[in-house]
Amino acid sequence: MKLQLKHARILDREWQTGSLFTFLAGFAIAGHDTEWFKAHAEMELRASELRIWELSWMPGLFQTEDYARAMFEAAGLLDIEAHLALRMKRQDVLNRDPCPIMRVFLDQGAIDQPVGDPEIMRAQLAAILERAQHPNITFRVVPRSVGAHMGRDGSFKIMTVGNADIAYTEACGGGRLVMDAAEVRSFRLRFDRISDRALPVDASIELITRVMEGLL
């Protein structure tokens, strides 16, 4: 059952979300499926907590310009500079004070699958290690050795905005915002299951460092 606009207004008032659900319900009612990524980016900027699982690429919030450009070129996108400007603008969230609490889980393939030349990849991993020094940001890696696990189904994130959690799941051709409470809980469970398979923070940083140092 879709969230009705009148119910969204009630939730916003009771939970003091800053019109979050009214905003999202408006997108859904208008049928702007192609606008879900834009809506997700706006929620990302407002989030107090972000839980990110990335299966294939470095998360957009942490990509260097050169890495993002190489990724866009590989995807065959047109007007790469416009895409790049939008990608870099999203990283404004990292400059907020206070910075949101961010728990980031990366599949090992995201750190050792080359994107661009070795210099680009080395700089990208160095940027991750630099961000990892922030007290509100943690990175953990799910090593290839764990084999099959729940996270293999695809990348997603959970954003806490106000008193509400919203999930965003990525897909080829466009992602999907998840507002249904039961479905969001399923993503939280999935995130916890991925956490069970991930390396501890220190071991993850050591692995990222080894991969970076191996790039010549």
Side-chain angles (χ1 to χ4, degrees), residues 127-163:
I128 293 293
L129 293 174
E130 181 178 358
R131 290 294 186 183
Q133 297 178 34
H134 194 288
N136 283 10
I137 303 175
T138 59
F139 291 93
R140 294 175 62 191
V141 177
V142 177
R144 192 171 289 108
S145 59
V146 305
H149 64 90
M150 188 173 286
R152 299 301 299 172
D153 287 341
S155 304
F156 65 91
K157 71 178 59 171
I158 303 169
M159 303 171 285
T160 300
V161 182
N163 294 320

Side-chain angles (χ1 to χ4, degrees), residues 122-207:
R122 185 181 177 90
Q124 174 63 73
L125 294 175
I128 293 293
L129 293 174
E130 181 178 358
R131 290 294 186 183
Q133 297 178 34
H134 194 288
N136 283 10
I137 303 175
T138 59
F139 291 93
R140 294 175 62 191
V141 177
V142 177
R144 192 171 289 108
S145 59
V146 305
H149 64 90
M150 188 173 286
R152 299 301 299 172
D153 287 341
S155 304
F156 65 91
K157 71 178 59 171
I158 303 169
M159 303 171 285
T160 300
V161 182
N163 294 320
D165 282 346
I166 303 152
Y168 180 77
T169 179
E170 297 181 6
C172 184
R176 179 174 69 96
L177 276 174
V178 179
M179 295 172 283
D180 177 75
E183 192 172 1
V184 172
R185 282 196 297 272
S186 75
F187 278 96
R188 287 201 298 264
L189 175 61
R190 187 176 302 182
F191 193 82
D192 289 342
R193 293 283 181 83
I194 294 170
S195 177
D196 291 341
R197 311 308 300 273
L199 295 172
V201 172
D202 289 347
S204 296
I205 295 302
E206 290 175 5
L207 177 57

Side-chain angles (χ1 to χ4, degrees), residues 8 11 18 24 50 60 63 93 101-102 132 136 142 151 164 167 172 176 178-179 198 205 209:
L11 290 174
L24 294 174
L50 292 166
Q63 291 175 3
V93 68
I101 297 170
M102 307 181 73
N136 283 10
V142 177
C172 184
R176 179 174 69 96
V178 179
M179 295 172 283
I205 295 302
T209 302

Side-chain angles (χ1 to χ4, degrees), residues 111-130:
I111 67 170
D112 63 15
Q113 179 74 20
V115 175
D117 60 33
E119 183 177 352
I120 289 174
M121 198 65 193
R122 185 181 177 90
Q124 174 63 73
L125 294 175
I128 293 293
L129 293 174
E130 181 178 358

